[in-house]
Amino acid sequence: MDIPYTVTARPDTGLYNAKVGIWLFLASEVMLFGGLFSSYIFLRVGADYHWPVHELDVRLGFVNTLVLIFSSVTVLLAWANLKLRNIGKFKLYMLLTVLCAMTFMVIKSFEYRAKFSHYAVKLTDGTFLTGHLPHGYEIKFGEATQLSFTVQSETAAIDADPDGYVLPFIQGDTPKFKTESGNEIILDKSTFKDLRSASLEAAKAAGKNSGSFKLVAASPLTFQAKPSQILGYTATTMTFRDGTVAQGKLLDDKMTLEVDGVDTRSVPDAEKSIAWGTQYLGDGWKKAFITNRDHAKKEFEEKYPTRDPQKSATHQKEAFYLKIKSSTPPSGEEHGDGHKAEAKAEGHGDDHSAHGHHPEVVLDKKDIAFYSNYTPKLNTYYAIYFTLTGLHGLHVVAGALVLTYFLLFDGKMLRNDPERLANRVEVGGLFWHFVDLVWIFLFPLLYLL
Amino acid sequence: MSAAATSHDHSHGADHAHDHHDEPGFLGKYVFSCDHKVIGIQYALSGLLFLLLGFFLMLLMRWSIAFPGQPVPGLQFVESLPGLGWLFHETLGRWAPGGVVNGELYNMLGAMHGTIMVFLGIVPLGFAGFVNFVMPLQIGTIDMAFPKLNMWSFWLFFVSGVLMLYSFFVGTGPVQTGWTMYSPLASTTTLAVSNVWAHGHTWWLTAMVFNISASLLGSVNVITTVINLRAKGMTWMRMPFFCWAMFVTSFLLLLAFPPLEVAALLQLVDRVFGASFFLPTGLMEGGQHLDISGGGSPLLYQHLFWFLAHPEVYVLILPAFAILAEVIPANTRRPLWGYKSMVYASLTLGFLSFLVWAHHMYLTGMGTMMSTYFQITTVLISVPSVILLTGLMISLWGGSIRFTPQMLFASAFLPMFGIGGLTGLPLAFTFIDLALHDTYYVIGHFHYVVAPGTIFALFAGVYHWYPKITGRIMSDFLGKLHFWPSLLGMNLIFAPMFIQGMGGFHRRWYDGGKYFEQTSSASNWVTELTSGVFGIFGMDVPNNLLGLNVLMSVGAFILALGQVPFILNVFLSIKGGKKVQSDNPWNCTTLEWATPTPPPHGNFTFEPVVTRGPYEYSVPGCSQDYLPQWESEPGKAATAPASTPAPVAHH
Amino acid sequence: MADSTEEIHKAIKRIKLIGWVLAVFTVITVGLSYVELPTHTMNIVVGMIVAAFKAALVALIFMHLNHESPLIYKILAFTTAFALALFVLFVFSASDPLVFDSFYESNK
Ligand code: HEM
Ligand SMILES: [Cu+2]
């Protein structure tokens, strides 16, 4: 008893089952990526910031495109050779295809890695500073002696939980605490549980829905946490995300940034950007910016006298997005200096060796509106970039796994029923081409345009 | 390709490695089975269980609406039970101190009720369950085209159910933001929870991703099977309408679900990686700017969601038509009226259903052109709906109707769906929708189509095919005991919703409008009657729109009682039902009744050859009142080689 | 699709040729993206036309859609129609062609 038409085609439809299946699956994939691409359009049309153009590493994207095209050819050659029963060549081409998939993913992961360590800081006036955080960015809060906990009866979504929300940020040795009743304890899951239930019992007796208690540290504590890991802070308190409050003193909330770019496209008057303030980049860089901008303007006017420079996205980028390649501003008034520097080191500081060549600024918290590394959080462009390429990457991995399976584990079928294996390879190949086809659109949309 | 010129050439299969799967163990036979019938039953049973769960959630909501702030009777008792009490406490009880449903819990119940009913209840039972069990039998094949994928489909669905249920246990409890899960609200609730896996939203989204993948696999399988595995002589236009409707449904699932998958994925990225796909610039909460980049669009979410969710409502209703197109002819002994127009109507319906979605979004500030476009397509799509309903209705004409339980449910479906469909029409116009959007009127509209509509049809299907599965017929008495309270309960719940909705009652009030008591004082004869009747029983129900809340909740309670006979019937009839006298107890014409009872692995004991259309009932001049598709003359199986080769697909 | 040995040899040649064509057009896409056309939108349109051409080659030759069963054409035709709806209607509902800029601009 066998399902009919697994190998041969049904006469009236002219198709074998897997062929129908894969095309249906691809149809749904079209809708999946269709939804993603239409989200891309929707987000881009509605974007209220300057949509990045040529911001990713075009060379890597280009190489990856060629790799995928090559693999599309090899998977077809594998299929053709299997049809011809050239088993050796079939295996060779299959292997090449899988190797291409691996290459693609390796290159992709390098691209991702570089993005993760690169940051953009939005200042309150709309200026973006890009660069690296040599020491990370953490809030330091010290001389803290007292912790106040608020515990809820069970109906609250978030409850005091020092284990997950407070303890991880304490610097130094495991601290000792004194409870209100004078016992000395080490704060962990079990001791906290006791305190919690005692407090809730007291609350219940008093007819309240939530209880609270305080702990006093045996010696002053220092906390260090990323701003996203806590709820907020003032000069004298730090509030954790579970609502626990520490009393003490704010030690440091300044951000040290190695600046490799200043993007003033969203600032009404770029020359007045906070970034040029004396405590930050200062007049030297401002001059460099103005030189670069005027040079770009002149060039644009010479090349395209009839066009409106306001409307040229590339011109706006060249004129108002200053790339910084050295630790001090270029001296003198040479024209086009900024330009030359840019040409020297494409890829604006994605490589770590460039660290020494950037000015360091220490940003006040009050000037920072938002900051993020180059992850989906940064803006909707990077959000859709990571989602699209991530999902595409998943498809590459899935396709490679399937092809590897055909190569390694279908030996029996290769011997007994090569025609059926050829069908499988054909169907796997169709999927593989689809993955290539998606990339053909992804590459220009994300890297080039 | 040349080898395939002679169809049904099975000889090449002899040496296939997987030929030895005939003797699976217990696990392979009942749990990880690849047999379409087992998978169908698995789907159907899980669907039924989820429907029951969704129903319980709804009962709690209805209590809160009718008697806000009062403890739910019995909750404290359930909490005190060993084991079950713990389970209940961890899931719902912890949110209901003193047994009172508060706003938070109400929102969780609402969101999970909708999600469970739509994605884990009706679709798995109505589509996956029935299509898996019935369709391969009806087209005369031995199994689905990809049995292994079929198994995967079920287990992916199972995982999605488990994940969805698990969200009841996590820190924040399950989602509170409606089955529609609109951003930004859904993405920003309890944002402070730094462990995203302690958040019900994350689990909901993950569960949806699994659910969607499961239905993709299922629909690929169904379509391929229908296209490629039809028996000899089973041409497209000889296919029972059941298969046609399911075929169209599969296309809706296949092509409409991916955008929802996109929506879920993007929302997941928002939640887990802090992106702003659906979060606009400058979004604030509690007077503070959120730590997000902004630049996204809530509207984008609604588009992606409704691009699925409108076709989804046809995924809910088409299986109902599919089932009724079998049940009604079998019980009226008349051919299905207008088979061809019904087929074309369902194809048109399927096509149009992709082009109307933004009628759920009239209030988002669309421009004139787009809202005109969506109004026109929405009105257009009611035409094929009406054709389908009319076809079924006229099929009753002149029949000698047997009022079996399945026929009772089928005949109740017709007016109930009619009410649901007709109340949808006014909503299609922006100027009316302006007033009615997000009110109980909308709730009434779609529940009339889905509850006494689709769910009744599903009951009909269960009664109809139960004998094929078990070899026994479900009790007629219990069936009627099931039907009448259900019909009464459904109407008591949903009819007053239209009145309340037009009175301006919002669909998500956990106190049923008590807060707006001052403005809910409208009364009419219905409220008067309600107040009067409850007065007889000594209950003080106000003579205004709020009084209807009590009426509806009583209706829900009646409906709940009405399901007891059904549950008993399903279990008791396995052993105690009347044994079927033949493999074709209802004297039907379609191929599933040609198989032994229950159908063995591989289904048919002979190779079915189809010689006629699916609904040859009461053919003049024939010795019996039905002519099965597989018989060349009454009592004689056709063996002739396939008459005409099947023409190419018509969709 | 090709089944005889001869046809397969022909197919292999074709596949290699198309592979080269695709590579060349990739270079062209990259090059074009650095050309400053009057508006950036035009860059996008041109880029998409080239991409669509490449995609068509992959679909027609590599996925041999140039001669496939009518059934598959039908499935894909519907899919394409719905995908287009996805693109066009989304965007139109955000900026309605009839009321175009005026309404939304004044809200900004
Ligand atoms: C017969 C023609 C139908 C028309 C013209 C129609 C029209 C509409 C409209 C305009 C709305 C949006 C109301 C609003 O939110 O303001 C709506 C909501 C809804 N309809 Fe229908 N409908 C029809 C049939 C159906 C069918 C057959 C089903 C289901 C099987 C259905 C299920 C729903 C659901 C679930 C909603 C509400 C979704 C929500 O907001 O949660 N409708 N209908
Ligand atoms: Cu709709």
Side-chain angles (χ1 to χ4, degrees):
Chain A
M1 214 169 29
D2 238 342
I3 313 275
Y5 311 120
T6 46
V7 181
T8 51
R10 181 179 163 113
D12 58 352
T13 58
L15 299 162
Y16 56 89
N17 297 342
K19 189 94 167 257
V20 184
I22 191 70
W23 274 112
L24 289 169
F25 181 70
L26 291 184
S28 92
E29 291 279 67
V30 168
M31 294 307 285
L32 181 76
F33 281 99
L36 283 163
F37 280 121
S38 94
S39 304
Y40 170 96
I41 300 176
F42 203 88
L43 291 170
R44 185 164 186 173
V45 168
D48 54 4
Y49 58 97
H50 294 268
W51 194 263
V53 173
H54 283 143
E55 221 179 83
L56 304 171
D57 194 324
V58 175
R59 287 162 308 170
L60 292 184
F62 176 68
V63 172
N64 257 351
T65 311
L66 293 185
V67 167
L68 274 193
I69 291 175
F70 183 70
S71 74
S72 257
V73 172
T74 53
V75 79
L76 273 171
L77 294 181
W79 168 79
N81 280 299
L82 182 58
K83 276 270 187 194
L84 295 172
R85 305 288 184 268
N86 291 336
I87 304 302
K89 271 192 171 173
F90 156 69
K91 287 188 171 163
L92 175 71
Y93 282 122
M94 214 56 171
L95 187 68
L96 274 178
T97 312
V98 174
L99 286 179
C100 279
M102 285 165 148
T103 315
F104 181 90
M105 291 312 291
V106 169
I107 292 181
K108 198 83 233 154
S109 62
F110 277 117
E111 280 184 71
Y112 274 18
R113 269 261 296 287
K115 288 290 167 215
F116 292 160
S117 60
H118 195 206
Y119 283 79
V121 182
K122 184 182 184 184
L123 302 181
T124 41
D125 68 345
T127 313
F128 275 95
L129 294 180
T130 60
H132 292 87
L133 296 174
H135 324 295
Y137 179 45
E138 293 196 320
I139 313 286
K140 278 207 195 77
F141 188 85
E143 297 172 29
T145 46
Q146 186 181 303
L147 287 179
S148 327
F149 297 90
T150 312
V151 291
Q152 313 278 348
S153 66
E154 287 167 290
T155 45
I158 306 185
D159 200 6
D161 172 16
D163 201 43
Y165 290 85
V166 181
L167 293 181
F169 310 120
I170 296 180
Q171 300 299 298
D173 306 330
T174 332
K176 287 207 174 71
F177 291 95
K178 261 211 182 92
T179 62
E180 274 156 287
S181 52
N183 299 335
E184 185 140 310
I185 57 158
I186 289 176
L187 193 56
D188 59 21
K189 262 204 172 105
S190 73
T191 53
F192 182 73
K193 205 171 155 197
D194 296 341
L195 289 169
R196 182 179 190 284
S197 49
S199 150
L200 272 182
E201 231 150 76
K204 215 179 211 171
K208 280 191 297 186
N209 240 345
S210 63
S212 62
F213 57 92
K214 294 191 170 77
L215 291 180
V216 179
S219 54
L221 304 173
T222 308
F223 295 98
Q224 200 165 335
K226 293 199 177 96
S228 60
Q229 291 168 324
I230 57 173
L231 206 59
Y233 61 88
T234 65
T236 55
T237 61
M238 186 167 202
T239 312
F240 296 90
R241 288 179 79 150
D242 64 347
T244 303
V245 182
Q247 306 279 343
K249 193 174 144 212
L250 180 64
L251 299 181
D252 182 17
D253 66 349
K254 288 195 179 12
M255 174 192 274
T256 308
L257 184 74
E258 283 175 354
V259 183
D260 63 16
V262 185
D263 179 358
T264 60
R265 280 177 290 178
S266 305
V267 190
D269 185 352
E271 289 181 29
K272 294 221 174 83
S273 161
I274 312 180
W276 315 129
T278 45
Q279 79 276 33
Y280 295 153
L281 287 168
D283 272 343
W285 282 110
K286 181 176 170 183
K287 266 203 203 104
F289 166 78
I290 293 175
T291 318
N292 178 58
R293 183 195 62 192
D294 294 345
H295 175 80
K297 262 191 180 149
K298 214 172 102 209
E299 211 172 43
F300 187 83
E301 271 158 21
E302 274 165 14
K303 257 191 183 159
Y304 311 106
T306 56
R307 291 187 199 165
D308 179 359
Q310 292 289 320
K311 284 189 178 153
S312 163
T314 30
H315 169 68
Q316 291 291 312
K317 186 177 159 194
E318 261 165 41
F320 292 99
Y321 189 174
L322 179 72
K323 304 283 170 60
I324 294 183
K325 310 287 179 194
S326 55
S327 53
T328 50
S331 55
E333 308 286 308
E334 315 154 47
H335 277 284
D337 193 63
H339 250 60
K340 256 184 251 150
E342 191 179 328
K344 252 196 325 237
E346 268 277 317
H348 53 86
D350 278 358
D351 51 335
H352 296 261
S353 59
H355 272 350
H357 308 300
H358 299 299
E360 241 184 35
V361 299
V362 180
L363 295 166
D364 269 338
K365 183 72 200 305
K366 71 168 181 13
D367 289 334
I368 302 175
F370 174 76
Y371 87 99
S372 164
N373 51 351
Y374 280 66
T375 54
K377 189 175 175 184
L378 182 59
N379 55 33
T380 49
Y381 166 76
Y382 279 100
I384 195 87
Y385 161 71
F386 279 105
T387 311
L388 268 170
T389 53
L391 214 59
H392 178 264
L394 269 182
H395 279 74
V396 171
V397 171
L401 285 179
V402 170
L403 296 181
T404 312
Y405 181 88
F406 295 160
L407 180 62
L408 298 182
F409 303 108
D410 267 355
K412 199 164 163 193
M413 192 182 284
L414 181 61
R415 264 170 278 128
N416 296 337
D417 195 356
E419 199 52 31
R420 186 161 179 195
L421 185 61
N423 281 354
R424 283 196 171 185
V425 173
E426 188 190 358
V427 164
L430 281 175
F431 178 75
W432 194 250
H433 299 312
F434 179 78
V435 174
D436 184 20
L437 203 147
V438 169
W439 185 259
I440 285 178
F441 286 104
L442 281 187
F443 175 57
L445 280 180
L446 295 172
Y447 289 75
L448 302 175
L449 299 171
Chain B
M1 201 178 280
S2 53
T6 55
S7 62
H8 286 261
D9 168 22
H10 288 190
S11 55
H12 59 255
D15 51 14
H16 284 175
H18 68 148
D19 226 14
H20 308 287
H21 64 182
D22 285 359
E23 298 298 330
F26 174 82
L27 270 187
K29 214 163 170 182
Y30 298 110
V31 183
F32 298 105
S33 169
C34 294
D35 186 314
H36 71 99
K37 299 178 291 295
V38 179
I39 293 172
I41 294 168
Q42 286 173 327
Y43 257 125
L45 286 180
S46 359
L48 278 171
L49 284 177
F50 275 117
L51 282 180
L52 197 65
L53 174 63
F55 189 76
F56 271 120
L57 301 181
M58 181 276 277
L59 283 180
L60 284 176
M61 289 164 75
R62 283 253 54 112
W63 175 271
S64 168
I65 292 170
F67 309 107
Q70 298 181 32
V72 184
L75 268 202
Q76 302 272 310
F77 170 71
V78 175
E79 284 225 39
S80 68
L81 293 175
L84 191 68
W86 172 83
L87 202 66
F88 183 77
H89 180 80
E90 287 301 310
T91 50
L92 300 174
R94 62 188 164 131
W95 306 102
V100 178
V101 176
N102 59 14
E104 263 188 328
L105 177 56
Y106 180 87
N107 286 342
M108 294 176 198
L109 294 172
M112 293 313 275
H113 164 76
T115 308
I116 289 178
M117 284 301 199
V118 171
F119 295 110
L120 301 170
I122 296 189
V123 176
L125 171 62
F127 173 71
F130 280 106
V131 83
N132 264 304
F133 189 88
V134 178
M135 185 274 289
L137 297 178
Q138 275 196 343
I139 63 168
T141 181
I142 60 172
D143 206 326
M144 289 286 220
F146 312 111
K148 272 209 189 111
L149 281 189
N150 211 11
M151 178 192 82
W152 275 103
S153 163
F154 174 75
W155 286 103
L156 282 178
F157 159 73
F158 188 84
V159 170
S160 95
V162 170
L163 294 179
M164 197 61 90
L165 290 183
Y166 185 74
S167 77
F168 278 100
F169 292 89
V170 299
T172 65
V175 285
Q176 296 184 28
T177 39
W179 80 289
T180 50
M181 211 56 60
Y182 277 5
S183 275
L185 185 61
S187 313
T188 57
T189 39
T190 38
L191 206 56
V193 180
S194 58
N195 175 4
V196 290
W197 297 107
H199 204 295
H201 187 218
T202 318
W203 290 91
W204 190 90
L205 293 168
T206 320
M208 285 311 290
V209 171
F210 274 88
N211 192 294
I212 294 164
S213 312
S215 40
L216 286 181
L217 291 186
S219 53
V220 165
N221 228 329
V222 169
I223 300 173
T224 311
T225 309
V226 169
I227 287 179
N228 242 22
L229 298 187
R230 279 164 293 123
K232 259 186 221 173
M234 178 63 86
T235 59
W236 285 99
M237 279 303 165
R238 280 185 191 160
M239 220 162 55
F241 182 75
F242 180 92
C243 296
W244 268 112
M246 289 300 190
F247 185 68
V248 175
T249 311
S250 305
F251 269 102
L252 299 187
L253 286 174
L254 184 79
L255 300 180
F257 253 130
L260 181 74
E261 187 143 17
V262 172
L265 283 172
L266 299 192
Q267 216 173 51
L268 203 59
V269 175
D270 276 4
R271 169 66 69 186
V272 177
F273 300 111
S276 297
F277 281 119
F278 303 136
L279 306 178
T281 304
L283 189 64
M284 295 176 83
E285 214 177 76
Q288 267 198 317
H289 279 289
L290 296 176
D291 179 30
I292 53 163
S293 70
S297 163
L299 210 56
L300 175 61
Y301 178 81
Q302 297 195 17
H303 276 303
L304 290 171
F305 180 83
W306 288 113
F307 188 89
L308 155 92
H310 186 82
E312 174 75 14
V313 308
Y314 291 96
V315 170
L316 300 178
I317 200 69
L318 277 171
F321 282 110
I323 290 165
L324 294 188
E326 305 306 305
V327 171
I328 289 184
N331 286 286
T332 56
R333 318 307 297 162
R334 293 262 301 138
L336 185 66
W337 188 86
Y339 165 80
K340 259 199 185 151
S341 35
M342 284 187 68
V343 168
Y344 287 118
S346 60
L347 291 170
T348 316
L349 191 80
F351 179 77
L352 282 178
S353 73
F354 282 95
L355 305 175
V356 304
W357 75 85
H359 63 214
H360 297 271
M361 300 164 57
Y362 285 146
L363 266 65
T364 56
M366 259 183 278
T368 329
M369 186 185 94
M370 290 323 285
S371 64
T372 310
Y373 162 82
F374 281 113
Q375 289 178 71
I376 292 173
T377 50
T378 304
V379 175
L380 275 183
I381 202 173
S382 58
V383 175
S385 318
V386 169
I387 294 179
L388 290 179
L389 187 64
T390 314
L392 290 181
M393 236 157 10
I394 301 185
S395 301
L396 301 177
W397 189 266
S400 55
I401 302 178
R402 306 174 187 159
F403 279 108
T404 52
Q406 62 263 40
M407 189 58 195
L408 285 176
F409 279 107
S411 29
F413 170 94
L414 302 175
M416 296 293 109
F417 176 78
I419 294 175
L422 286 179
T423 50
L425 268 183
L427 295 177
F429 301 99
T430 45
F431 55 94
I432 303 180
D433 192 55
L434 200 60
L436 294 180
H437 180 68
D438 266 355
T439 66
Y440 264 99
Y441 183 93
V442 175
I443 306 288
H445 152 64
F446 72 76
H447 278 90
Y448 256 103
V449 244
V450 185
T454 301
I455 292 186
F456 272 16
L458 300 186
F459 283 138
V462 172
Y463 285 102
H464 186 65
W465 279 293
Y466 190 88
K468 184 77 328 195
I469 300 170
T470 61
R472 295 182 191 254
I473 293 174
M474 287 172 86
S475 152
D476 203 56
F477 173 71
L478 285 177
K480 282 173 183 157
L481 208 58
H482 173 206
F483 171 72
W484 290 107
S486 295
L487 184 65
L488 178 68
M490 290 280 190
N491 282 289
L492 283 183
I493 303 171
F494 298 123
M497 285 187 180
F498 295 124
I499 301 172
Q500 278 196 341
M502 287 188 270
F505 274 49
H506 190 273
R507 63 189 282 187
R508 300 206 204 272
W509 286 339
Y510 86 98
D511 63 357
K514 188 119 186 120
Y515 187 79
F516 297 93
E517 206 159 7
Q518 308 308 323
T519 52
S520 315
S521 59
S523 63
N524 60 16
W525 64 269
V526 181
T527 61
E528 215 162 288
L529 191 68
T530 308
S531 166
V533 172
F534 279 105
I536 298 174
F537 295 100
M539 280 174 79
D540 180 24
V541 172
N543 173 14
N544 60 26
L545 294 183
L546 280 178
L548 297 180
N549 283 336
V550 183
L551 176 66
M552 292 189 274
S553 297
V554 169
F557 192 64
I558 295 176
L559 185 59
L561 286 182
Q563 304 318 300
V564 176
F566 176 68
I567 296 169
L568 288 178
N569 206 347
V570 167
F571 285 106
L572 296 183
S573 302
I574 296 177
K575 285 270 176 314
K578 201 170 80 200
K579 271 211 170 111
V580 292
Q581 300 305 314
S582 75
D583 285 335
N584 189 358
W586 312 118
N587 292 343
C588 289
T589 51
T590 43
L591 267 175
E592 76 268 33
W593 304 102
T595 59
T597 311
H601 193 56
N603 298 342
F604 291 90
T605 48
F606 63 103
E607 193 188 325
V609 175
V610 175
T611 54
R612 53 170 55 83
Y615 299 110
E616 308 255 316
Y617 289 101
S618 304
V619 181
C622 178
S623 58
Q624 57 187 39
D625 73 345
Y626 66 106
L627 255 180
Q629 282 192 288
W630 66 93
E631 291 183 356
S632 51
E633 54 192 83
K636 193 163 163 270
T639 49
S643 42
T644 45
V648 181
H650 264 290
H651 60 272
Chain C
M1 97 231 46
D3 257 35
S4 73
T5 316
E6 200 180 316
E7 271 177 273
I8 290 178
H9 280 297
K10 248 197 238 156
I12 290 180
K13 272 204 200 106
R14 192 169 53 225
I15 291 161
K16 286 181 178 162
L17 175 73
I18 299 297
W20 283 114
V21 173
L22 287 174
V24 169
F25 271 91
T26 308
V27 177
I28 293 178
T29 322
V30 175
L32 277 178
S33 82
Y34 287 97
V35 176
E36 171 98 11
L37 295 179
T39 63
H40 192 71
T41 315
M42 281 166 82
N43 273 76
I44 296 178
V45 170
V46 170
M48 283 299 101
I49 289 174
V50 177
F53 175 71
K54 288 169 67 186
L57 284 184
V58 172
L60 292 177
I61 312 290
F62 283 3
M63 302 170 89
H64 28 83
L65 269 184
N66 51 352
H67 46 88
E68 198 37 279
S69 140
L71 195 88
I72 283 176
Y73 288 141
K74 275 182 202 160
I75 294 173
L76 291 182
F78 280 103
T79 310
T80 316
F82 298 144
L84 275 181
L86 208 58
F87 288 121
V88 177
L89 297 183
F90 275 30
V91 173
F92 276 7
S93 64
S95 56
D96 194 316
L98 277 193
V99 281
F100 239 0
D101 305 340
S102 53
F103 176 76
Y104 291 93
E105 290 301 313
S106 65
N107 274 351
K108 265 188 186 156

